Amino acid sequence: MQNTKDTFYETLRNRLAALNPDRTIVIRGVTRPGTLVEENELVTAVDVPDCFRLRWRPAAIDAKGTLPLATLQCEIAYETAGTALNSGMDRGRALAAMDGELLAALNQAPQNAVKTNYAGLAFGHAAITMNTSLWWASVAFGPTEIKDDRLARIATVDVMSFEETGEL
Amino acid sequence: MVNVTETMAPVVQQVRAYFAPINRMTKTATIFDPAQSGAFNLDVPPAPWIDLGWIANFARKSGTKIDPIRSGAPATTHLQTRSEVDATVALSFESWGKLQLALAAGVQQMNLLNAASGAAAAGSGGTAIAAVPLVSGSTATVLQVGAIAAAGFSVGEIVAVDIDYAGATGFIGSGVSGAYVKSALTDVDYIRRITLNVGRIASIGTGTSAGSLTLESPLIAGVPTSAMKVSGVAGFCDREGSSFFQEWSALFVGVGQQQERVLWHYPRLQAMSGIAEANTASTGGFEKVRLNGAFRALPVTDAVDGETVVCFRSYVVA
């Protein structure tokens, strides 16, 4: 399922970056698009604002078909305090902007992507295009949460893929 | 005293289906011998059986009628007789493929041959690009077409491999009869349109193996003849209302949790329903489209005692 998680992240990150190139974060001194996967980063005590944080929840497997169908639930958490220029009084608008970006990225056609194995990148090899595609369902937005001076939300989306033969 | 150990009813999660061809001209079915092969590896069925994958909604129905023969006053049943023998099977395929599509459709299943540039539109595919002849050295899994022709194919592409149509009538198609021609046609590619002798290209040879197309799985007709040609296939098409009936030898296997097996063998199954699918809920709000099929069992003669039967149910203990 790791290939599914990696491919979904890459796809979503690239779409969000194309929609709003100004949404960036600096992680370990590197400026990058404002989307991250929590399990791939160092543990932090404070959630990074103004970026999309992906976390993977329990998976379900339907093994009845020729290839097992895996369903992964992806939580996408984000929060914002608005801008200092407006003393945070635009935090509602900033959260709505993030809602809009996420909705546009996930609703953009096609709602699928060719699964890719990125494991080789760590060893200087190219990513490998796999034989099947993953796809995802409509995004569901959770309620707005007030965290001190920030507004936060968790959106969830089910990501489905077929586990290919020999796939980890 | 003969003591046969009683076991619990088999607990089966799924049933798996296997296909074998029938010689339609001689009505010769492929017979499965459960005594010799009942414990076969489900992933490697004995030749010539071909794995169709898991199935759902497997439902057998007996239409056999048993009538009493009464005599006397008052009339009392003294004998019974079978006045009709009939059996049907319905199922949903969990996977889609050429064979599954053809069997579920029940009619001839057309290969959508890559059409020639400017070909007139046709519902089951316009005039095809000229087929590529095979050169010597081809096998059931490696097609030799020459380096120039091989460059016209791509990895992942589906190809149909069969002879030119030359005006024959009757059952046509190599390996498995894919259609019945009532009156002569003019399409030289017609047999490649209906053949089930198809494969997907896994790799295209380079260097010393240039000119070869290696297939993912063996052709159903085995080693191709020198008269066969190769056509690229864009997809598959079937038509409601066609006159042909698909017929196949079928084997269904249910594996119990104690490793026991129930095998249902229908030497001759013929399609008895039209073309329809069943949509079932899938995760994420999507729907899975399953191929539905319904079949009627036709008779064979059991070589053991000469009885005319339509299906065999075997129970193979672990």
Side-chain angles (χ1 to χ4, degrees):
Chain A
M1 293 176 224
Q2 190 59 50
N3 296 318
T4 300
K5 295 196 289 187
D6 291 343
T7 305
F8 180 74
Y9 160 68
E10 287 279 325
T11 305
L12 180 59
R13 184 200 63 185
N14 292 345
R15 289 185 179 190
L16 288 167
L19 286 166
N20 183 4
D22 295 331
R23 187 176 301 287
T24 58
I25 50 175
V26 180
I27 302 282
R28 299 188 297 280
V30 178
T31 302
R32 40 186 262 198
T35 306
L36 59 83
V37 181
E38 288 184 340
E39 66 190 32
N40 296 346
E41 305 293 345
L42 296 173
V43 176
T44 60
V46 180
D47 292 330
V48 182
D50 297 304
C51 77
F52 297 98
R53 307 187 311 276
L54 276 58
R55 58 178 77 121
W56 294 99
R57 292 309 186 193
I61 297 286
D62 178 357
K64 290 179 180 173
T66 304
L67 297 176
L69 170 62
T71 302
L72 305 173
Q73 188 182 66
C74 181
E75 280 188 1
I76 305 166
Y78 48 98
E79 58 194 66
T80 180
T83 61
L85 184 67
N86 291 305
S87 303
M89 290 187 293
D90 59 351
R91 58 190 183 280
R93 291 176 181 276
L95 189 72
M98 297 186 80
D99 292 341
E101 289 170 27
L102 183 62
L103 183 63
L106 290 172
N107 278 2
Q108 184 180 321
Q111 281 185 242
N112 55 58
V114 176
K115 193 156 57 169
T116 304
N117 184 344
Y118 295 96
L121 294 181
F123 308 100
H125 303 304
I128 299 170
T129 301
M130 302 183 73
N131 295 319
T132 58
S133 294
L134 58 87
W135 67 100
W136 56 88
S138 300
V139 61
F141 290 98
T144 302
E145 183 185 354
I146 299 172
K147 296 172 66 177
D148 298 326
D149 61 338
R150 296 181 183 180
L151 295 182
R153 193 187 311 287
I154 294 176
T156 55
V157 59
D158 287 338
V159 181
M160 281 69 67
S161 69
F162 292 114
E163 289 293 291
E164 298 183 22
T165 304
E167 193 175 1
L168 291 175
Chain B
M1 172 180 162
V2 177
N3 189 5
V4 177
T5 302
E6 293 180 2
T7 63
M8 302 302 289
V11 178
V12 176
Q13 185 180 29
Q14 282 183 289
V15 174
R16 195 143 162 180
Y18 298 87
F19 164 97
I22 286 177
N23 185 325
R24 300 294 296 271
M25 282 183 278
T26 63
K27 296 186 172 65
T28 305
T30 302
I31 300 298
F32 178 82
D33 185 339
Q36 297 185 61
S37 308
F40 70 92
N41 181 340
L42 291 183
D43 293 327
V44 189
W49 294 93
I50 296 171
D51 188 5
L52 295 173
W54 299 108
I55 58 172
N57 304 323
F58 178 62
R60 287 163 21 97
K61 189 174 179 183
S62 172
T64 297
K65 290 185 179 176
I66 298 176
D67 294 326
I69 297 177
R70 300 186 179 94
S71 62
T76 305
T77 300
H78 289 269
L79 294 170
Q80 288 196 115
T81 182
R82 290 185 177 84
S83 59
E84 290 179 29
V85 175
D86 190 28
T88 60
V89 180
L91 56 91
S92 302
F93 290 106
E94 288 281 9
S95 54
W96 286 50
K98 174 65 181 176
L99 275 173
Q100 290 91 337
L101 281 162
L103 298 175
V107 295
Q108 70 249 51
Q109 231 270 336
M110 317 287 282
N111 300 312
L112 296 172
L113 304 183
N114 291 333
S117 177
S124 51
T127 303
I129 295 171
V132 174
L134 289 171
V135 297
S136 62
S138 294
T139 68
T141 53
V142 180
L143 305 176
Q144 301 290 349
V145 295
I148 296 173
F153 293 96
S154 56
V155 172
E157 185 175 3
I158 296 170
V159 291
V161 184
D162 218 315
I163 59 175
D164 282 344
Y165 177 74
T169 56
F171 290 107
I172 57 171
S174 297
V176 180
S177 296
Y180 186 89
V181 179
K182 288 178 285 190
S183 55
L185 306 169
T186 58
D187 182 5
V188 70
D189 293 303
Y190 189 70
I191 296 179
R192 282 182 291 279
R193 286 192 191 283
I194 60 83
T195 188
L196 279 83
N197 202 37
V198 299
R200 187 192 297 273
I201 298 173
S203 65
I204 298 175
T206 57
T208 55
S209 60
S212 64
L213 308 175
T214 301
L215 305 178
E216 288 181 353
S217 55
L219 293 168
I220 200 168
V223 177
T225 68
S226 58
M228 290 185 179
K229 295 180 179 177
V230 183
S231 291
V233 174
F236 306 117
C237 172
D238 41 55
R239 305 169 299 183
E240 184 78 55
S242 180
S243 59
F244 179 69
F245 282 88
Q246 293 281 359
E247 188 177 325
W248 54 305
S249 294
L251 175 66
F252 304 101
V253 182
V255 180
Q257 302 311 301
Q258 309 307 317
Q259 308 311 312
E260 74 277 38
R261 285 187 178 183
V262 186
L263 303 116
W264 298 274
H265 175 35
Y266 292 83
R268 296 179 61 199
L269 273 188
Q270 200 167 89
M272 59 168 278
S273 67
I275 302 168
E277 306 82 30
N279 288 14
T280 56
S282 187
T283 53
F286 289 79
E287 288 188 338
K288 179 160 63 176
V289 183
R290 279 180 172 147
L291 293 169
N292 271 1
F295 308 93
R296 171 163 280 114
L298 302 183
V300 293
T301 301
D302 189 343
V304 170
D305 56 7
E307 288 278 12
T308 298
V309 298
V310 295
C311 63
F312 300 82
R313 181 180 66 187
S314 302
Y315 174 59
V316 178
V317 295

